[in-house]
Amino acid sequence: MQNFPILTSLIFFLLTNPTATETFGVGVNGGVAVNGGIGVGITIGNGGGPGVWIGGNGGKTPSGLPTPRLNRAYAALQAWKSAITSDPLGILSSWVGPNVCSYKGVFCAQVQDEMTSSPVDIIAGIDLNHANLAGTLVNQLSYLTEITLFHLNSNRFSGTVPDTFRQMSSLQELDLSNNLFSGPFPITTLYIPNLVYLDLRFNDFSGPIPEDIFNKKLDAIFLNNNHFDGELPQNLGNSPASVINLANNKLSGNIPTGFGILGSSLKEILFLNNQLTGCIPEGIGLFSEMQVFDVSFNSLMGHLPDTLSCLNDIQILNFGHNRLSGVLPDLICSLKSLVNLTVSFNFFSGVSQECSHHFLGNLGFDFSGNCIPGRNMQRPPPECSLIPGGSLNCLRLPPVVKPLVCGTLAKTTDSDHPSSSPP
């Protein structure tokens, strides 16, 4: 999993604020904090996913003195404390008195005030991951306008996200994963101006996914394991995100035909375990940096598009448990970076030479449960007598734009436009 721009932004903030570096020590991938500062690293676990971990500032403010900003933060945190109904680990026992920088899970930094040029103390982040707290979020949390990280992964918070969160103008990472939040998609998160990482997975949100989320400058969108339903927004391919996870919801309809036409830096997208129908669009092949594409456990039909041959960086392709058909072409099985291809439990009727090679010898390629003659572990013949979606007319690239089919382009270029030798 790649490191997101938030980590780079945080390190840049620390290195360009000399007073802040006295408080923060930066260590990537579990690095150890120095000078009693904050250690920054990438964490994965229990639905929290990749994000920024912050730990340990010694429980002291950088200057040891309260400031108007921290007094306002004190009011916000005390209001939130009153809305927390269960604290079995005793996390909030330290949330006493005006020295908010001594509160467990609250991390402070010292920055230069733009008006007075004097150093001032601010709350830079809140990390209460795995604290097992129960309660709700409160409007007063919006007082924390300088916070950049807000992590609540693996707690028991319920309700929804207060509309006032849009006032958190410095917030870049919001991780509410693995809680009990419910209701419609929290629209207020789309108005947080500098947000780049949004993690709402493993909650009870429901209803449609708003199309505006794919117009925002988010680098990571995690909405999986909720109850979102309705069709995928048509502007899905507009998103500049590198990771989009929509798995394990109740999404229906087609993958938008324009998906990929604009191209993007998308590296991973997961649609698995929804109720999607129709074809896999040709535009998927235009995501040249794609590494993971998973549409398993849906009801997709038709042939695989030839544009999949454009995915030179693809490592995992999972089409398992759909209703796809046709012959698996060499264009797909010969992708140089591909280590896992799953097409099990579809209605494929044949494999090309390259795919046949992997069929016999590569454990990372799963062709079981299809209709491939002469192969083991296939469907019984009666199930293959009627191929689903046989009359489905999938939109395919017309000949005028055929060069977008990378595998075909290479062959056409070699034969039709032979290169001349240099003089």
Side-chain angles (χ1 to χ4, degrees), residues 382-413:
E383 292 186 15
C384 298
S385 60
L386 182 63
I387 302 298
S391 61
L392 184 65
N393 184 20
C394 294
L395 176 66
R396 294 297 180 230
L397 292 174
V400 68
V401 289
K402 192 73 171 182
L404 289 176
V405 184
C406 301
T408 303
L409 174 61
K411 295 178 182 179
T412 302
T413 302

Side-chain angles (χ1 to χ4, degrees), residues 147-163:
I147 194 173
T148 59
L149 309 169
F150 191 67
H151 286 185
L152 295 183
N153 165 35
S154 299
N155 284 280
R156 292 174 289 134
F157 286 102
S158 58
T160 190
V161 182
D163 189 61

Side-chain angles (χ1 to χ4, degrees), residues 37-382:
I38 292 180
V40 179
I42 298 299
T43 63
I44 300 176
N46 294 336
V52 175
W53 165 81
I54 307 182
N57 66 346
K60 298 179 181 179
T61 62
S63 67
L65 299 174
T67 68
R69 302 186 191 197
L70 293 186
N71 287 336
R72 186 170 171 83
Y74 169 72
L77 294 178
Q78 288 301 312
W80 189 23
K81 180 181 177 181
S82 68
I84 295 176
T85 57
S86 177
D87 178 20
L89 301 181
I91 301 294
L92 303 185
S93 61
S94 64
W95 287 32
V96 178
N99 184 8
V100 295
C101 294
S102 68
Y103 291 8
K104 186 175 293 186
V106 177
F107 302 93
C108 293
Q110 192 173 83
V111 298
Q112 191 172 54
D113 186 270
E114 294 179 356
M115 300 295 294
T116 65
S117 297
S118 300
V120 294
D121 301 327
I122 63 168
I123 290 184
I126 291 179
D127 186 345
L128 291 170
N129 286 350
H130 305 280
N132 199 22
L133 298 170
T136 59
L137 303 180
V138 296
N139 291 332
Q140 291 92 331
L141 285 169
S142 64
Y143 297 170
L144 307 175
T145 55
E146 291 150 324
I147 194 173
T148 59
L149 309 169
F150 191 67
H151 286 185
L152 295 183
N153 165 35
S154 299
N155 284 280
R156 292 174 289 134
F157 286 102
S158 58
T160 190
V161 182
D163 189 61
T164 55
F165 265 49
R166 67 181 64 197
Q167 299 170 23
M168 301 172 78
S169 55
S170 298
L171 188 62
Q172 297 183 43
E173 279 207 16
L174 178 61
D175 183 353
L176 304 179
S177 61
N178 202 17
N179 278 280
L180 302 172
F181 293 108
S182 60
F185 182 94
I187 293 294
T188 188
T189 60
L190 303 183
Y191 295 94
I192 301 174
N194 290 298
L195 196 67
V196 296
Y197 180 97
L198 178 62
D199 194 342
L200 302 179
R201 58 185 148 175
F202 292 95
N203 278 287
D204 292 317
F205 292 113
S206 59
I209 295 175
E211 66 176 23
D212 280 351
I213 192 173
F214 300 115
N215 293 327
K216 300 298 179 180
K217 295 180 180 179
L218 293 168
D219 184 57
I221 301 172
F222 292 96
L223 305 182
N224 54 291
N225 295 82
N226 280 280
H227 306 288
F228 291 117
D229 57 24
E231 297 190 358
L232 293 170
Q234 290 298 307
N235 67 333
L236 173 65
N238 292 1
S239 176
S242 60
V243 178
I244 299 176
N245 193 337
L246 306 177
N248 301 310
N249 281 288
K250 300 176 181 179
L251 300 169
S252 59
N254 298 345
I255 299 175
T257 54
F259 181 59
I261 296 301
L262 296 180
S264 79
S265 57
L266 188 63
K267 290 182 172 61
E268 299 181 19
I269 187 160
L270 292 90
F271 294 114
L272 68 109
N273 198 24
N274 278 284
Q275 300 165 14
L276 300 177
T277 56
C279 308
I280 296 174
E282 287 272 5
I284 181 61
L286 303 184
F287 290 106
S288 58
E289 299 180 24
M290 183 84 74
Q291 297 174 1
V292 178
F293 181 67
D294 191 335
V295 292
S296 59
F297 292 92
N298 283 284
S299 296
L300 298 168
M301 294 186 287
H303 295 191
L304 295 180
D306 288 340
T307 51
L308 288 170
S309 62
C310 297
L311 302 179
N312 290 323
D313 292 335
I314 196 72
Q315 299 175 27
I316 297 174
L317 279 173
N318 193 341
F319 303 107
H321 293 267
N322 278 282
R323 307 177 74 186
L324 299 163
S325 58
V327 175
L328 286 167
D330 283 338
L331 293 172
I332 296 174
C333 292
S334 59
L335 287 166
K336 62 181 182 180
S337 299
L338 189 62
V339 295
N340 189 304
L341 171 64
T342 301
V343 296
S344 57
F345 294 94
N346 280 283
F347 291 85
F348 290 107
S349 57
V351 292
S352 60
Q353 183 176 356
E354 183 69 24
C355 292
S356 183
H357 169 73
H358 288 296
F359 193 110
L360 297 174
N362 193 322
L363 295 179
F365 286 58
D366 186 354
F367 302 93
S368 61
N370 282 283
C371 300
I372 304 173
R375 304 294 185 178
N376 296 326
M377 301 178 65
Q378 299 299 297
R379 292 179 182 273

